[in-house]
Amino acid sequence: IAVIGDVDSNPGLTEQLDLMNKYHVQTLLLAGDFEYTDGKAVLDDLTKHGFNKNNSDIVVGNHDSARDVNSWLGTNTTFGTYDFAQGKLAVFNIDANIQFDCSSPQFKTIKNNIEQSQAQYKIALVHQPFVTVKSKHPDNGQFDCYNPMFEANNVSAVLQAHNHNYQKEIVSDILYGV
């Protein structure tokens, strides 16, 4: 599994994708913000490197078009569950650009999907982070809503982006990474 976020069409992205191919990455998770200047070029680069809706997942970032993400994933929603590795890995996309608090339809859907999942590994994918150190962008304000649900349902990791740096924090035995 490889995870990237806040990318754009440039030689750095191509180099990262070349490394993913070199190390035989089977699943690519893109934690949002791929459309700063040319989202189509980013998606074309992913495709050239063998990534498609069957082996990759993209969550909507604040610089992305929900339409483009939906087209890539072949879905009509910007949140939901995607299964990989013959069902051993489930990724739960959370769209923090629309209502996602505890009373939202999105939260109820995500909660139900996580509770029903039999996957060995459960990963939440969101652009705007639940947990972050002081950076350019604050946390998304919904940690107290989501973390108990993640903890109760054995979510292994919450993968985030938005702040253009690397962060790792363990909370309630869950890896929160930026």
Side-chain angles (χ1 to χ4, degrees):
I1 299 173
V3 183
I4 56 175
D6 295 278
V7 298
D8 203 356
S9 178
N10 58 48
L13 173 63
T14 301
E15 185 177 331
Q16 290 176 10
L17 294 170
D18 287 343
L19 284 170
M20 290 177 207
N21 287 162
K22 177 181 177 180
Y23 291 105
H24 308 288
V25 168
Q26 296 174 8
T27 304
L28 170 62
L29 306 178
L30 203 162
D33 276 6
F34 68 94
E35 293 193 279
Y36 286 100
T37 60
D38 192 349
K40 182 181 179 323
V42 171
L43 297 176
D44 288 347
D45 207 359
L46 295 179
T47 301
K48 286 178 199 169
H49 283 86
F51 295 106
N52 56 55
K53 70 179 183 179
N54 296 318
N55 64 1
S56 62
D57 185 20
I58 300 173
V59 73
V60 179
N62 57 297
H63 290 281
D64 298 331
S65 157
R67 183 189 74 243
D68 290 345
V69 172
N70 291 350
S71 176
W72 175 263
L73 296 174
T75 182
N76 61 358
T77 64
T78 56
F79 61 90
T81 305
Y82 300 90
D83 292 313
F84 301 99
Q86 292 79 40
K88 291 181 183 178
L89 169 65
V91 179
F92 305 93
N93 285 3
I94 300 167
D95 184 350
N97 300 293
I98 61 174
Q99 184 185 7
F100 72 110
D101 63 17
C102 281
S103 65
S104 70
Q106 179 178 186
F107 176 80
K108 292 172 184 161
T109 297
I110 296 296
K111 181 177 186 285
N112 182 60
N113 290 353
I114 290 174
E115 288 173 344
Q116 299 301 315
S117 176
Q118 297 298 310
Q120 183 176 0
Y121 302 101
K122 300 176 185 180
I123 295 174
L125 187 64
V126 64
H127 181 67
Q128 296 87 337
F130 290 102
V131 174
T132 184
V133 298
K134 187 174 182 180
S135 296
K136 183 176 179 180
H137 304 290
D139 63 68
N140 65 33
Q142 296 302 317
F143 176 82
D144 290 338
C145 171
Y146 280 79
N147 188 67
M149 185 261 297
F150 293 154
E151 187 177 4
N153 292 287
N154 301 312
V155 169
S156 306
V158 180
L159 305 176
Q160 314 157 115
H162 202 38
N163 285 316
H164 297 198
N165 54 47
Y166 171 79
Q167 301 174 35
K168 180 179 111 179
E169 185 72 36
I170 305 291
V171 181
S172 308
D173 291 328
I174 300 169
L175 167 70
Y176 281 85
V178 174

